[in-house]
Amino acid sequence: MKKLSARRRHPLAAVVVLLLALAATGGLYAAFAPAGKAQADETAQSLGITEGKKLYSVGCASCHGTGGQGSSDGPSLVGVGAAAVDFQVGTGRMPAQQPGAQIPRKKVIYTQAEIDQLAAYIASLGAGPAIPTKNQVSPGGADIAKGGELFRTNCAQCHNFTGKGGALTHGKFAPSLEGVDPKHIYEAMQTGPQNMPSFPDTTLSEKNKQDIIAYLDAVNGDETESPGGLELGGLGPVSEGLFGWVFGLGTLVAVAVWVAARTAKAKKS
């Protein structure tokens, strides 16, 4: 009996053997690292929200309310999502300089890191569209012809068929899409800023949005050629009709005056 007691293993021996085995196979890191990484991500996100709230209090709260609930000077931001913040602030439209029928694009005053922090804070107020990834906005492999069809059906009424923009009612306008970051085009479709309707994935799928971005890149790219020659700003029949009336009719009047003068001179002689 004494010999059996002497050979009995310590109760923690099995635990020690298991830990050594995990360490030898890399399992110890795998067992503890995910929890540590998740905690680090959560801490970083919490810090971003905290910093974003500070930026919001200084630059946004006077119009949108201290908690994003909105006021008479600005709409509620609860539920607009990070994508709306990235678009509005990333294009310089916000903070607005002064109220008006439409807030125009201007110089961006925040860094991208600060914009991300603001977006994190607004996203914490309520669920909304997230900032798209690079793969979502990349035109590579997209169907340009399909994008053109979708753009002419859903967007050309305001932005013109090549995205040059156009006038709306009561001082509003559809801005030009030439040179706009593909990410911001995607976010505009997702969130519907100002006078623009929104096109969520249930209306225009992620692939449809990529196709539209590819089409705009094709028609407004540096290497794009106009098959019709002088495109007159690409603004469509209004500018073309005005050109025809001013220069075409003007030329006809000038010719008629010249013919009349020549005829009168011939009769005198």
Side-chain angles (χ1 to χ4, degrees):
M1 294 296 292
K2 290 182 178 180
K3 289 183 179 181
L4 289 174
S5 300
R7 292 178 180 178
R8 186 175 299 167
R9 294 181 178 178
H10 193 279
L12 296 178
V15 177
V16 172
V17 172
L18 178 60
L19 291 175
L20 289 173
L22 286 172
T25 59
L28 185 62
Y29 173 81
F32 291 100
K37 185 177 184 300
Q39 186 176 6
D41 291 343
E42 184 177 350
T43 301
Q45 183 179 8
S46 177
L47 180 61
I49 293 173
T50 301
E51 294 300 317
K53 186 175 182 179
K54 293 178 183 177
L55 292 169
Y56 176 87
S57 299
V58 174
C60 315
S62 59
C63 292
H64 295 285
T66 55
Q69 74 276 12
S71 71
S72 58
D73 295 323
S76 170
L77 299 181
V78 178
V80 300
V85 179
D86 190 72
F87 173 83
Q88 296 285 2
V89 183
T91 59
R93 289 177 168 85
M94 291 291 158
Q97 289 181 333
Q98 59 184 12
Q102 186 163 326
I103 308 301
R105 182 178 181 179
K106 61 182 185 299
K107 184 179 179 181
V108 181
I109 63 173
Y110 289 99
T111 66
Q112 186 58 52
E114 291 172 331
I115 294 172
D116 292 340
Q117 291 169 348
L118 273 170
Y121 171 65
I122 297 302
S124 72
L125 301 179
I131 299 173
T133 64
K134 289 184 178 181
N135 290 334
Q136 287 178 299
V137 303
S138 173
D143 189 338
I144 296 176
K146 180 65 175 179
E149 179 184 340
L150 291 168
F151 186 86
R152 288 188 293 273
T153 301
N154 298 284
C155 317
Q157 297 91 332
C158 297
H159 289 283
N160 183 272
F161 69 99
T162 58
K164 300 295 185 181
L168 301 176
T169 58
H170 304 294
K172 304 171 184 176
F173 62 94
S176 171
L177 302 178
E178 188 173 6
V180 178
D181 190 320
K183 177 181 69 169
H184 293 148
I185 295 177
Y186 192 103
E187 290 170 341
M189 288 188 280
Q190 278 281 76
T191 62
Q194 300 192 71
N195 305 299
M196 179 176 168
S198 61
F199 296 92
D201 291 343
T202 53
T203 304
L204 284 178
S205 68
E206 180 180 315
K207 180 63 168 58
N208 291 154
K209 293 183 178 70
Q210 287 179 312
D211 293 339
I212 290 175
I213 290 171
Y215 167 73
L216 290 171
D217 182 66
V219 296
N220 292 319
D222 295 333
E223 299 180 359
T224 303
E225 296 181 1
S226 175
L230 182 62
E231 61 178 12
L232 299 174
L235 297 177
V238 174
S239 60
E240 294 167 1
L242 180 62
F243 182 89
W245 273 99
V246 172
F247 291 93
L249 188 60
T251 301
L252 290 176
V253 170
V255 170
V257 171
W258 180 81
V259 170
R262 294 283 295 181
T263 302
K265 184 176 180 181
K267 288 181 178 180
K268 290 180 180 179
S269 60

